[in-house]
Amino acid sequence: MHVSEGGVEIEVPDARDGASAGTGDDVFYNPTQELNRDITAAVLRAFREREPRAESYLDAMAASGIRGVRAAAEGYDVTCADLDADAVELAQSNLDRAGNGGEAVHRNANALMYDEVFDVVDLDPFGTPMPFADPTFANTRDLVCVTATDTAPLCGAHQKSGIRKYGCLPQNTDYHPEMGLRTLLGAMVRTAARYDKAAVPILSHATRHYARAYLELDERATKADELLESTGFVYHCEDCLHREAERSLVAHPPEACANCDSTRILEAGPIWLGPVSEPAFAGAVRDEVTEDFGTAKRARKLLDTLAVELDTPTHFDQHRLCKLWGRSASKMETFLETLRDAGYDATPAHYHGTAFKTDATVAEIREVTAALDPEA
Ligand SMILES: C[S@@+](CC[C@H](N)C(=O)[O-])C[C@H]1O[C@@H](n2cnc3c(N)ncnc32)[C@H](O)[C@@H]1O
């Protein structure tokens, strides 16, 4: 099957009739990840401005090679790696067809990353990226791009798996996409720190199906120490949804909720509590989205949201709060405007349409927005 994406043309196996348009008919290609790949192409453009020495790009789990083909079109010196020989053959033929150079290699990405240094490494595995984290942070020079699709372990829905994979205690809350993203970022920051490197999140986004993060590397151990100080714990009241965050290597959970006195407090961590994106970089990436991206409109909307989203470590869901309080929900803009008029910061959060961030506590949100549903 012929696929046109972001100005490049590739062949992928035809999922409908099982026929192979390339070589292997079981080589993976997921059309629903186009937004993720469009944003990656825009990140690669914006990162070039930020770090002009960045030249080599490893598509570490290439499958059809779509990420590598797109990176080569952006002028990067591309290597596509895959364990599957059919994938390597298909990726090489796609690189050749596009004519922007690039080599596909039949290698285990972990072994390859210990052998060779790349400026940019893109991890896009099935499920968790943790089995690839050590060589990635040991050897990558400038930027790590990472997707994790194991959202249930990440957000605490499959908690034991989350604990095993990410070395922290994730909890299943009403802000599960953000819990997942911060579980992933915490594990990335800690892994990089083992190699005396700081992995600074410069852009991140999450949906129900995956978390995606871009981490800029800094070789100063002092910077790695600084980042570790932005990891810590969230304490979440299961009754009133009040939450508090504590930046610390050790948890000091409250005995009871500061808002409602409940003792049903969930403790999550250590997770990343710092900013998940750098506003200026999100804006620069947004400016690199071009009309030949199939998801241009969605990508710009997402990046616009990321550029202004508050960096509080959890988001709220208006519908969840209104249900708890027996109120009808309001239009998001009206709800946020009400908080702002009362002197709080409040922005939409990119996780979904009813998600928002604010510096108000749950009690303050309840009080300030009460007039929006006088019947309740
Ligand atoms: C989710 S797919 C990659 C999708 C692709 N990046 C895209 O955007 O369409 C994961 C790929 O990783 C490959 N893979 C799994 N383990 C690997 C390893 N240790 N080294 C290299 N490739 C691996 C699989 O063969 C599979 O093709």
Side-chain angles (χ1 to χ4, degrees):
M1 180 172 70
H2 189 76
V3 168
S4 176
E5 191 183 290
V8 303
E9 312 283 326
I10 64 161
E11 293 292 332
V12 299
D14 191 335
R16 281 167 306 169
D17 59 14
S20 168
T23 47
D25 58 9
D26 56 355
V27 175
F28 182 87
Y29 172 77
N30 186 354
T32 66
Q33 289 279 10
E34 187 173 356
L35 174 72
N36 178 331
R37 290 188 290 263
D38 280 350
I39 289 177
T40 304
V43 164
L44 291 177
R45 292 174 184 173
F47 194 72
R48 186 36 84 55
E49 297 294 312
R50 188 178 170 111
E51 183 47 85
R53 76 169 179 181
E55 283 177 0
S56 56
Y57 169 94
L58 173 65
D59 179 357
M61 291 96 204
S64 68
I66 179 64
R67 287 177 185 275
V69 171
R70 294 193 64 173
E74 300 304 332
Y76 284 79
D77 176 8
V78 166
T79 303
C80 286
D82 207 289
L83 267 187
D84 174 357
D86 287 342
V88 175
E89 201 176 324
L90 181 59
Q92 188 65 64
S93 70
N94 281 326
L95 286 166
D96 293 345
R97 185 178 302 105
N100 295 308
E103 185 192 11
V105 295
H106 189 200
R107 295 285 308 271
N108 183 320
N110 281 338
L112 177 61
M113 288 189 281
Y114 280 123
D115 279 352
E116 252 182 78
V117 176
F118 297 92
D119 298 327
V120 181
V121 165
D122 198 328
L123 301 179
D124 187 34
F126 294 126
T128 177
M130 289 315 287
F132 306 97
D134 276 281
T136 302
F137 289 109
N139 262 351
T140 306
R141 206 175 274 131
D142 296 311
L143 180 71
V144 172
C145 321
V146 55
T147 308
T149 57
D150 58 331
T151 52
L154 277 170
C155 77
H158 293 170
Q159 197 178 55
K160 284 190 174 161
S161 174
I163 295 168
R164 286 196 304 275
K165 303 281 184 316
Y166 296 98
C168 79
L169 177 67
Q171 295 284 6
N172 197 6
T173 58
D174 48 305
Y175 38 94
H176 49 91
E178 180 151 31
M179 176 67 67
L181 187 55
R182 290 177 179 280
T183 297
L184 174 69
L185 290 172
M188 294 288 129
V189 165
R190 284 192 297 275
T191 307
R194 288 214 294 276
Y195 299 94
D196 290 338
K197 288 183 187 168
V200 183
I202 54 173
L203 191 79
S204 315
H205 54 104
T207 67
R208 268 178 56 229
H209 302 294
Y210 67 88
R212 176 75 170 165
Y214 300 86
L215 301 119
E216 185 174 37
L217 302 178
D218 183 322
E219 303 224 339
R220 287 171 296 170
T222 49
K223 182 78 180 164
D225 292 339
E226 227 176 81
L227 286 200
L228 289 175
E229 285 170 13
S230 289
T231 61
F233 298 84
V234 167
Y235 309 118
H236 172 87
C237 173
E238 289 191 88
D239 288 318
C240 75
L241 309 184
H242 176 78
R243 65 285 305 258
E244 285 171 25
E246 179 190 27
R247 292 185 183 209
S248 169
L249 294 178
V250 182
H252 305 94
E255 278 178 16
C257 172
N259 182 44
C260 74
D261 262 348
S262 164
T263 51
R264 298 197 323 131
I265 309 283
L266 292 178
E267 172 187 329
I271 59 173
W272 173 248
L273 297 178
V276 301
S277 296
E278 198 182 274
F281 188 66
V285 174
R286 192 241 185 252
D287 291 344
E288 297 292 354
V289 173
T290 43
E291 282 312 312
D292 55 348
F293 289 3
T295 71
K297 205 169 153 203
R298 279 168 63 209
R300 287 195 185 109
K301 188 169 174 231
L302 172 60
L303 291 158
D304 280 340
T305 305
L306 289 172
V308 295
E309 187 174 297
L310 289 178
D311 63 14
T312 57
T314 68
H315 67 264
F316 290 95
D317 174 44
Q318 196 213 153
H319 286 181
R320 177 83 168 85
L321 290 177
C322 288
K323 191 170 170 209
L324 182 70
W325 300 333
R327 288 187 196 161
S328 342
S330 310
K331 277 174 82 175
M332 274 311 282
E333 201 34 56
T334 311
F335 193 86
L336 298 182
E337 208 49 61
T338 306
L339 283 165
R340 283 188 215 113
D341 287 348
Y344 298 101
D345 275 341
T347 66
H350 75 277
Y351 300 101
H352 52 79
T354 55
F356 69 98
K357 292 198 155 194
T358 179
D359 55 356
T361 64
V362 78
E364 290 163 338
I365 302 169
R366 184 175 189 171
E367 188 187 330
V368 164
T369 60
L372 290 173
D373 183 4
E375 304 294 308

